[in-house]
Amino acid sequence: MPTPANILKNTFGYDTFLPLQREVIENVLAGRDTLAIMPTGGGKSLCYQIPALLMDGLTLVVSPLIALMKDQVEQLRANGVPAVFLNSTLSPQAYQENMEWVREGSTKLLYVAPETLLTPRIFSLLSSLKLSLLTIDEAHCISEWGHDFRPEYRQLVSVRQRYPQAVCLALTATATPRVRGDIKNSLNFSQSNEFIASFNRENLFIEVVPKSDPTAQTTQFLKRFKDQSGIIYCFSRKQVDELSAYLATKGFSVRPYHAGLEDAERQANQEAFIRDDAQIIVATIAFGMGINKPNVRFVIHYDLPKSIENYYQEIGRAGRDGLPAHCLLLYSYSDVAKLNYFINQKEGEERRVASQHLDAIVRYAEDKTNCRRKPLLAYFGENHTPDNCNNCDNCTTDPPTLTDITIPAQKFLSCVLRTGERFGAAHVTHVLLGSKAEKVLSHGHEKLSTYGIGAELNQKQWMHLSRQLVQLGYLKQDVKFRTLSLTPSGVNALKKRSTILGQLQEAETPAARAKTRTTALEYNQALFDLLRQKRKELADESGVPPYVIFSDKTLVEMSAYYPQSPESLLNISGAGQIKLNKFGDAFLEIIRGFCRQHDLTEQKKDAPRPKTDSGGRTAVIGEAYNAGESIQSLMERYQVRKGTIIQHLERYLADGNSLHSSSALKSLTSTSPEEQQAAAQAFDELGTAFLRPVFDKLGGTINYDELKILRLLYLCAQNQPKNQ
């Protein structure tokens, strides 16, 4: 009897399940209704595709995403799985042919849109069949609290009641705890049948940069991703058209996408992107739903998203193949003002909720100290415990330098108090700037002692300061009316004139150079390019996107392990038996020819390949240092910064080795003996795992570069035998 693991390997070409995939599949096969919350790229599709091949009857997949249906069916057929879809894109003849396939029992999976399912024609079709599994994809659309609520999805509750014998599987990538509860209540699921995978996309490098010259910033960023796929999100259709036209003049392979284009042009641009005929899509948020393109290497937010949830969903379209991808958000407060303008056109509860969402994304963008993943994951009810993810801008650069902002903070807190703690930040700012706005004059606030005392800062800077005071706990903001009032800490700071540290204005310094992440697996780029070219040829011949043939991850492994036989090719991730039969010979011919030409031999996959900057290089650097080679010489030899060499030496120590010459290390630091002693005491007290607690303990008097050197000196001393 086939098992889920057999099908995973033989049909889909994967050796192991992703987190929670096995548990969800087993729960479904046991006949239990299931809610699965899994992040984009977490393997939701296999959670119903594998059960579909093990169950007797039909699996019905309800999805609002027409593009996704076509994409999923193409990929399933490429793997030898019979599947069809029914939606408005089909010609009458093709629609009828697919209906016959389903009626005859010749297919295992049927994809439909909710509005298609809710018709007498489809109900009549299903009445003669055994429906084993009802899968509701994008299940957050059921909930009125979801970011993409669709009324027709609510009607799926009655569909489920129509087929009580079918197991029901609800899937989504974005659902807050409140939305999850609403989905379960609507579908009458039990609490025990809920599976929630981590929302952490570890392969995404997340970066927020102050927006100064966005066109130049975008162009410079794109140069680092030559011939790679990416999405750029803009707020308006006009911005999409202007930016895509500009990038085209600079030689980039780019297409626009928004609702204002003719349907045929919009569809053609999407197809060009999916098939790698165009590398970059510039789009409004209308783009991306249902696009299962796995090799998107970057996502740029040219403008501020409306909410954390939108932002998470949009960056989730990068790196679905598990390989590294870069997510860049360009932020300016002018974007906030623009979004506020549109929010103010709304009324009542809708306006209040939109304001809350905007406040959350603004706090996220302006936070220069905490790991980017913490607020993202907290939004979905997940606690991100590591203080440093090592894959976002805040965790890979030193925290910003804080200055004494006591005087302007005192002015703002005092003005909040004197206006009666009944107004928002904008009104308080107007008072500080001496505005003659009607609202200021009508309340007599021009007579206050704080009126006009804030001329040293502009409105943008005062607004930025107000948000900091909320974050620092000196002010609280009313959820409903957004009015500001002082907290006990704020009252205390005002009375005692306590020192307040922060930033007087939005950071305008260029962002630290973000590191270009590469896959940990070292592979032959020349071979990869040849295989990618062959993949494109085969995809064009078959009329499918290239990733339907093989994913980038599969080509990377081929270019790393050089499989020479069909048996070896089957060990490559994503290469199942069906694809081996269809495409194996074409790819093996290229690999064998390349290996003959360059005198390369097959590498065993079960013996891990060396990683970039991994243990092998660490050992070489450690031994070279102990043999007397200087830090400067090692930097020049490997073309890396001093900090990278320091990291290797730390790893060398952690592997149980010792470093002989501490004097060479001491020459690298400019700190005084007293500062070195203070740092050592801080490491004694706080440990060496994280530098931020030590930085704070020392009051920020020693910068991070120096602390890294001092930590290495400290570790060297700790590593010395006690009798020396």
Side-chain angles (χ1 to χ4, degrees):
M1 289 290 292
T3 66
N6 294 149
I7 294 174
L8 180 74
K9 176 60 180 172
N10 297 330
T11 301
F12 297 100
Y14 300 116
D15 293 320
T16 56
F17 287 102
L18 295 175
L20 289 187
Q21 276 184 326
R22 184 191 296 275
E23 292 86 341
V24 171
I25 290 168
E26 290 175 349
N27 205 57
V28 169
L29 290 174
R32 292 189 284 266
D33 297 325
T34 306
L35 170 63
I37 314 296
M38 303 171 79
T40 302
K44 293 187 296 295
S45 300
L46 288 181
C47 290
Y48 59 83
Q49 290 171 351
I50 288 178
L53 297 177
L54 291 167
M55 291 173 149
D56 291 336
L58 177 71
T59 290
L60 181 67
V61 184
V62 183
S63 171
L65 312 172
I66 290 177
L68 178 64
M69 296 181 200
K70 182 173 183 290
D71 188 74
Q72 292 270 1
V73 168
E74 285 177 342
Q75 293 192 63
L76 285 167
R77 288 177 174 173
N79 284 309
V81 178
V84 298
F85 64 87
L86 295 173
N87 62 39
S88 57
T89 66
L90 293 171
S91 67
Q93 181 181 351
Y95 199 103
Q96 191 58 42
E97 288 175 356
N98 285 356
M99 291 268 289
E100 286 302 315
W101 267 60
V102 176
R103 188 174 288 111
E104 294 169 2
S106 301
T107 185
K108 293 297 293 180
L109 292 106
L110 168 61
Y111 288 78
V112 296
E115 55 272 16
T116 302
L117 173 59
L118 298 166
T119 60
R121 185 182 190 185
I122 300 301
F123 284 146
S124 174
L125 173 68
L126 296 176
S127 65
S128 61
L129 302 168
K130 178 182 179 181
L131 185 62
S132 297
L133 176 59
L134 171 62
T135 297
I136 302 174
D137 201 9
E138 308 295 334
H140 59 270
C141 296
I142 288 177
S143 172
E144 61 182 315
W145 305 110
H147 69 280
D148 193 25
F149 171 60
R150 304 192 181 198
E152 64 270 19
Y153 250 66
R154 277 290 194 189
Q155 299 178 52
L156 296 179
V157 176
S158 63
V159 174
R160 195 203 169 205
Q161 294 167 350
R162 183 186 282 260
Y163 304 102
Q165 79 286 357
V167 182
C168 186
L169 170 62
L171 295 159
T172 180
T174 52
T176 62
R178 187 178 195 178
V179 171
R180 296 201 293 267
D182 199 17
I183 294 171
K184 287 185 295 183
N185 290 336
S186 300
L187 296 173
N188 197 27
F189 284 5
S190 70
Q191 183 71 34
S192 60
N193 290 324
E194 178 181 82
F195 297 84
I196 305 173
S198 172
F199 286 88
N200 187 15
R201 298 284 310 283
E202 293 182 353
N203 61 314
L204 302 185
F205 183 84
I206 304 173
E207 181 181 23
V208 180
V209 172
K211 184 193 290 188
S212 53
D213 183 346
T215 305
Q217 288 172 293
T218 300
T219 306
Q220 197 62 34
F221 180 87
L222 294 177
K223 290 177 181 177
R224 293 162 45 202
F225 292 88
K226 189 175 183 295
D227 298 329
Q228 298 194 59
S229 291
I231 305 171
I232 304 174
Y233 285 108
C234 297
F235 179 77
S236 68
R237 299 176 187 180
K238 179 182 178 183
Q239 186 66 71
V240 167
D241 290 336
E242 290 177 354
L243 182 59
S244 58
Y246 173 80
L247 292 176
T249 66
K250 296 297 181 182
F252 292 103
S253 172
V254 59
R255 300 283 181 91
Y257 186 102
H258 58 71
L261 298 175
E262 293 292 333
D263 288 348
E265 182 181 3
R266 191 168 64 246
Q267 185 62 32
N269 289 350
Q270 178 172 295
E271 282 294 311
F273 179 65
I274 289 173
R275 296 177 185 273
D276 285 350
D277 292 326
Q279 296 300 327
I280 302 167
I281 280 284
V282 183
T284 58
I285 58 170
F287 180 79
M289 289 294 289
I291 302 303
N292 193 31
K293 184 176 171 64
N295 63 329
V296 174
R297 294 273 68 86
F298 63 88
V299 167
I300 300 174
H301 279 89
Y302 196 84
D303 299 305
L304 186 69
K306 295 178 181 177
S307 69
I308 291 278
E309 198 162 355
N310 284 119
Y311 174 69
Y312 178 84
Q313 185 183 60
E314 287 153 17
I315 65 172
R317 288 158 193 161
R320 292 188 179 197
D321 52 12
L323 299 180
H326 196 124
C327 304
L328 175 68
L329 167 59
L330 300 177
Y331 171 75
S332 74
Y333 198 66
S334 61
D335 286 349
V336 182
K338 182 167 54 180
L339 288 172
N340 258 324
Y341 172 80
F342 288 100
I343 288 173
N344 289 334
Q345 313 304 309
K346 305 178 188 292
E347 295 181 355
E349 182 71 6
E350 185 183 9
R351 178 175 174 176
R352 185 182 68 81
V353 171
S355 293
Q356 287 179 327
H357 286 162
L358 181 58
D359 287 344
I361 191 70
V362 169
R363 287 195 301 272
Y364 168 81
E366 292 188 345
D367 188 345
K368 296 296 182 183
T369 56
N370 295 305
C371 173
R372 293 288 179 197
R373 283 170 164 75
K374 280 186 177 293
L376 286 182
L377 300 181
Y379 187 87
F380 296 103
E382 181 177 342
N383 181 29
H384 184 58
T385 50
D387 285 330
N388 191 311
C389 72
N390 286 313
N391 208 25
C392 76
D393 55 346
N394 285 350
C395 288
T396 55
T397 57
D398 292 346
T401 302
L402 301 181
T403 58
D404 189 335
I405 60 169
T406 306
I407 292 176
Q410 289 273 344
K411 289 181 179 181
F412 198 92
L413 293 173
S414 178
C415 197
V416 170
L417 195 62
R418 292 178 186 280
T419 53
E421 299 179 289
R422 297 187 297 111
F423 297 89
H427 181 81
V428 175
T429 296
H430 287 157
V431 174
L432 287 166
L433 291 173
S435 169
K436 298 190 185 314
E438 181 183 350
K439 188 176 179 182
V440 173
L441 300 178
S442 66
H443 286 90
H445 289 164
E446 79 281 7
K447 301 172 185 175
L448 296 176
S449 60
T450 52
Y451 181 75
I453 66 170
E456 74 273 21
L457 300 180
N458 60 34
Q459 182 177 4
K460 180 178 176 182
Q461 291 170 314
W462 279 119
M463 292 296 289
H464 181 246
L465 178 64
S466 75
R467 293 189 294 275
Q468 282 188 82
L469 293 174
V470 172
Q471 287 181 334
L472 293 169
Y474 296 106
L475 290 172
K476 63 181 178 182
Q477 187 173 48
D478 181 81
V479 172
K480 186 172 184 180
F481 299 106
R482 306 184 75 209
T483 55
L484 295 174
S485 59
L486 273 66
T487 64
S489 296
V491 173
N492 190 53
L494 198 55
K495 285 181 178 178
K496 296 185 176 180
R497 299 193 175 277
S498 308
T499 299
I500 299 175
L501 298 178
Q503 292 176 282
L504 266 184
Q505 55 188 349
E506 293 184 84
E508 294 177 351
T509 55
R513 181 171 61 89
K515 301 171 184 176
T516 302
R517 293 306 199 264
T518 56
T519 175
L521 186 65
E522 289 197 346
Y523 64 97
N524 192 304
Q525 183 67 47
L527 177 57
F528 177 84
D529 290 340
L530 290 173
L531 296 176
R532 187 167 66 169
Q533 183 179 342
K534 172 54 69 174
R535 178 181 67 177
K536 185 71 170 75
E537 292 173 7
L538 293 172
D540 289 346
E541 289 172 7
S542 303
V544 297
Y547 55 80
V548 169
I549 307 296
F550 284 125
S551 71
D552 272 15
K553 185 175 182 179
T554 303
L555 299 191
V556 163
E557 287 201 6
M558 290 182 190
S559 306
Y561 298 112
Y562 311 125
Q564 305 285 302
S565 66
E567 293 75 22
S568 298
L569 195 58
L570 277 174
N571 287 328
I572 299 299
S573 176
Q577 188 63 53
I578 299 297
K579 287 192 176 181
L580 174 68
N581 296 339
K582 286 183 177 180
F583 312 119
D585 288 344
F587 285 88
L588 284 171
E589 182 181 352
I590 292 172
I591 297 168
R592 289 168 183 155
F594 189 88
C595 289
R596 282 195 302 270
Q597 182 180 353
H598 298 279
D599 196 23
L600 297 170
T601 58
E602 182 175 319
Q603 304 294 310
K604 289 188 178 298
K605 189 181 175 184
D606 53 9
R609 297 271 288 176
K611 296 180 179 180
T612 304
D613 289 342
S614 69
R617 180 173 292 183
T618 292
V620 170
I621 288 174
E623 290 164 6
Y625 173 82
N626 279 339
E629 187 167 352
S630 70
I631 301 291
Q632 186 62 39
S633 172
L634 289 167
M635 290 165 57
E636 292 170 359
R637 194 206 308 183
Y638 290 104
Q639 292 294 296
V640 295
R641 295 176 298 170
K642 179 168 62 179
T644 303
I645 299 298
I646 296 296
Q647 286 179 344
H648 280 297
L649 295 179
E650 282 189 0
R651 290 183 204 147
Y652 187 71
L653 276 176
D655 289 341
N657 304 300
S658 60
L659 295 175
H660 302 326
S661 175
S662 60
S663 60
L665 292 176
K666 286 181 180 177
S667 68
L668 296 176
T669 179
S670 61
T671 55
S672 67
E674 292 76 19
E675 288 174 321
Q676 293 173 30
Q677 181 63 33
Q681 290 173 353
F683 285 128
D684 278 337
E685 179 184 344
L686 301 169
T688 58
F690 302 105
L691 288 179
R692 187 165 293 154
V694 176
F695 179 86
D696 293 339
K697 174 78 174 177
L698 299 173
T701 56
I702 303 177
N703 67 40
Y704 274 71
D705 287 337
E706 292 288 352
L707 282 177
K708 289 172 184 175
I709 299 169
L710 295 179
R711 177 169 61 183
L712 182 56
L713 279 167
Y714 176 85
L715 292 171
C716 285
Q718 296 297 307
N719 208 42
Q720 292 297 323
K722 297 301 181 185
N723 59 352
Q724 289 188 2

